């Protein structure tokens, strides 16, 4: 056991010493690998960030898998715009959700409100929602708080807004609980309780108001702005379609009067066949493999030339008793250890590139995706691929080194 351990440690030390002796050659041969690994790390990291951005966008607008929209249409103008019918549909949908123990359900009706800003009254787009909406759409808060059930009873109704809305208020801070007048019949004064995280490109004021609260009592969705009342449920992907249709069918029968309730899947996974990000993954994998192959070919070429230049040295080592196996492992490890160092340097370069705020902002388009600035999988793939390339590129030169004979030391 001690002999085996001594041989292994000795081989590693010998390979490292060879790298130090030939550091000029090593540095030149590994420049290509370093660039290749850095490119690979950037490509993989870019792909990971792009996937997270795509997922964030799709979940923000379409909800998590599987989110279904339940919308009622009447026999007349094609929408459930009558206030009494709309309220009845809302009650029956909520009752059906409770009956089937659906944990995440929310109203999701687009609306608009007249808002009194310091520079005048403006029409602002918004959405009427319930507290589960934030979890269903991965809505993140920049400051303040999201709605709770107790907010429905507030005398001064609560709203959650974006940064553009606060800027329109004169740069108000959510911590101070700024108020805003919502003209109507009757008008109300709402309190801004939170700011949700929004893209830097989201320049128009927007807001969320709580369903079935004082904030929504003065403007009935579906009558004032022509938008039909909409309801969403987040159900398991397995059996979710049947469950959503059952909820819609129960509400449709309970309301009657020619009401038709449709269940339509909204999330990205339901709009395409298979993996919605599959095409992006294939493209990224193809680019990564191409970069890796080019780096490996460059290293292989340099390694072969290097071994042929060291035939005299290898022949002498064979003459003093070095076995073929030891020569093979030593030459192979020279490439593996060298590419391991190159891989580490390449990963650090890739991390520096993707960690740059400007570069990251261009990739994410200002969307906050969370997670580490440099994806862990990119680091693992970079270092792992470097070692793999080193092993492959060192295999053929190691075979050539093994075939060197003692007499070759004299010839060269």
């Amino acid at each position: 056991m001690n002999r085996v351990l001594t041989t292994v440690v000795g081989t590693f030390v010998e390979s490292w010493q060879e790298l130090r002796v030939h550091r000029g050659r090593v540095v030149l041969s590994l420049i290509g690998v370093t660039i290749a690994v850095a490119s690979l790390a950037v490509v993989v990291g870019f792909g990971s960030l792009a996937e997270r951005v795509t997922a964030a966008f799709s979940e923000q607008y379409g909800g998590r898998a599987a989110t279904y929209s339940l919308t009622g249409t009447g026999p007349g103008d094609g929408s459930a715009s009558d206030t009494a019918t709309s309220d009845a549909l809302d009650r029956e949908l909520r009752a059906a959700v409770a009956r089937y123990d659906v944990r995440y359900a929310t109203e999701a009706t687009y609306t608009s409100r007249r808002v009194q800003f310091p520079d005048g009254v403006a029409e602002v787009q918004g959405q009427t929602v319930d507290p589960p909406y934030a979890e269903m759409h991965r809505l993140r808060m920049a400051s303040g708080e999201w709605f709770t059930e107790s907010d429905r009873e507030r005398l001064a109704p609560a709203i959650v807004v974006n940064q553009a809305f606060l800027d329109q208020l004169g740069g108000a801070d959510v911590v101070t609980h700024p108020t805003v007048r919502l003209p109507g019949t009757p008008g109300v004064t709402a309190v801004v309780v939170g700011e949700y995280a929004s893209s830097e490109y989201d320049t128009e004021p927007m807001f969320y108001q709580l369903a079935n609260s004082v904030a929504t009592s003065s403007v009935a969705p579906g009558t004032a702005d022509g938008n039909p009342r909409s309801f969403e449920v987040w159900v398991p992907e397995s059996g979710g379609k049947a469950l959503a249709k059952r909820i819609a069918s129960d509400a449709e029968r309970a309301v009657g009067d020619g009401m038709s309730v449709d269940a339509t899947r909204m999330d990205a996974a339901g709009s395409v066949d298979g993996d919605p990000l599959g095409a992006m993954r294939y493209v990224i994998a193809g680019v990564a493999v191409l970069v890796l192959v080019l780096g490996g070919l460059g290293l292989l070429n340099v390694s072969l030339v290097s071994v042929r230049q060291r035939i005299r040295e290898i022949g002498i080592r064979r003459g003093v008793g070095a076995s073929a196996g030891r020569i093979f492992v030593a030459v192979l490890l020279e490439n593996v250890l060298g590419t391991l160092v190159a891989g580490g340097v390449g990963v650090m370069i890739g991390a520096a590139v993707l960690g740059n705020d400007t570069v990251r902002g261009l990739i994410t388009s200002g969307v906050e995706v969370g997670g580490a600035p440099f994806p862990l999988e990119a680091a693992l793939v970079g270092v792992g691929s470097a070692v793999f390339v080193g092993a492959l590129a060192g295999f053929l030169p190691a075979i050539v080194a093994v075939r060197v004979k003692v007499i070759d030391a004299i010839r060269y």
Side-chain angles (χ1 to χ4, degrees):
M1 182 67 182
N2 290 335
R3 183 177 180 181
V4 174
L5 183 61
T6 301
T7 301
V8 172
V9 173
T11 303
F12 270 96
V13 172
E14 182 180 329
S15 299
W16 182 251
Q17 289 298 330
E18 287 294 331
L19 287 177
R20 293 182 60 188
V21 171
H22 302 283
R23 53 182 175 272
R25 172 187 60 80
V26 171
V27 170
L28 291 175
S29 65
L30 293 179
I31 287 178
V33 175
T34 302
I35 295 175
V37 171
S39 302
L40 179 62
V42 170
V43 168
V44 174
F46 169 80
S48 177
L49 286 176
E51 286 186 15
R52 284 151 60 184
V53 170
T54 302
F57 269 121
S58 63
E59 290 177 352
Q60 180 179 350
Y61 295 104
R64 302 199 199 192
T67 299
Y68 286 83
S69 175
L70 309 175
T71 306
T73 55
D77 59 359
S79 65
S81 58
D82 178 75
T83 302
T85 304
S86 180
D87 290 342
L89 177 61
D90 181 71
R91 288 194 303 270
E92 295 303 331
L93 285 173
R94 293 179 185 276
V97 163
R99 185 161 53 251
Y100 292 112
D101 295 324
V102 176
R103 182 179 178 185
Y104 293 99
T106 178
E107 181 173 337
T109 303
Y110 287 96
T111 185
S112 62
R113 301 292 301 256
R114 296 174 65 232
V115 178
Q116 178 67 62
F117 290 113
D119 58 352
V121 177
E123 194 80 14
V124 179
Q125 300 297 314
Q127 201 168 4
T128 304
V129 299
D130 289 285
Y133 181 91
E135 184 69 19
M136 294 170 64
H137 289 263
R138 289 192 184 273
L139 197 70
R140 294 173 298 277
M141 299 300 295
S143 60
E145 298 178 347
W146 181 250
F147 301 120
T148 62
E149 289 295 334
S150 61
D151 287 326
R152 298 189 197 273
E153 307 303 323
R154 295 174 65 110
L155 296 179
I159 58 174
V160 175
V161 303
N162 63 354
Q163 182 62 51
F165 193 105
L166 294 175
D167 292 341
Q168 196 81 0
L169 282 177
D173 191 341
V174 173
V175 177
T176 63
H177 300 292
T179 60
V180 61
R181 183 70 177 170
L182 306 179
T185 309
V188 294
T189 298
V191 177
V192 178
V193 297
E195 175 201 348
Y196 66 90
S198 58
S199 166
E200 61 184 76
Y201 304 106
D202 188 6
T203 57
E204 293 297 324
M206 294 188 68
F207 70 94
Y208 289 99
Q209 61 183 12
L210 192 58
N212 298 332
S213 69
V214 177
T216 59
S217 61
S218 62
V219 177
T223 58
D225 48 33
N227 292 322
R229 203 160 187 173
S230 181
F231 203 76
E232 292 180 3
V233 292
W234 176 23
V235 293
E237 288 193 80
S238 177
K241 182 177 181 179
L243 178 57
K245 288 186 175 296
R246 196 176 304 128
I247 293 172
S249 178
D250 287 0
E252 183 178 297
R253 287 196 304 270
V255 175
D257 296 330
M259 174 64 65
S260 175
V261 182
D262 297 320
T264 306
R265 187 165 178 178
M266 299 177 55
D267 59 279
S271 61
V272 296
D273 295 329
D275 185 359
L277 300 177
M280 180 184 295
R281 290 193 180 98
Y282 288 134
V283 171
I284 292 169
V287 173
V289 169
L290 179 61
V291 170
L292 192 59
V293 168
L294 292 176
L297 288 176
L299 178 62
L300 175 61
N301 184 49
V302 173
S303 298
L304 284 173
V305 173
S306 173
V307 167
R308 293 190 181 280
Q309 291 176 343
R310 295 168 56 198
I311 287 180
R312 180 179 179 84
E313 170 197 331
I314 296 171
I316 293 174
R317 291 174 62 187
R318 293 297 302 272
V320 297
S323 65
R326 182 145 186 173
I327 293 293
F328 179 88
V329 173
V331 174
L332 184 66
L333 280 180
E334 287 179 29
N335 286 273
V336 172
L337 292 176
T339 53
L340 178 61
V341 174
V345 175
V347 166
M348 288 189 289
I349 294 174
V353 172
L354 288 180
N356 182 271
D357 292 338
T358 302
V359 174
R360 188 177 177 86
L362 292 174
I363 297 174
T364 61
S365 299
V367 177
E368 179 58 47
V369 295
F374 185 70
L376 177 61
E377 59 267 28
L380 295 177
V381 169
V383 175
S385 62
V387 173
F388 181 71
V389 167
L392 288 182
F395 184 80
L396 186 57
I399 293 293
V400 174
V402 167
R403 293 180 177 179
V404 175
K405 298 179 176 58
V406 177
I407 191 65
D408 293 330
I410 301 175
R411 291 175 180 172
Y412 290 87

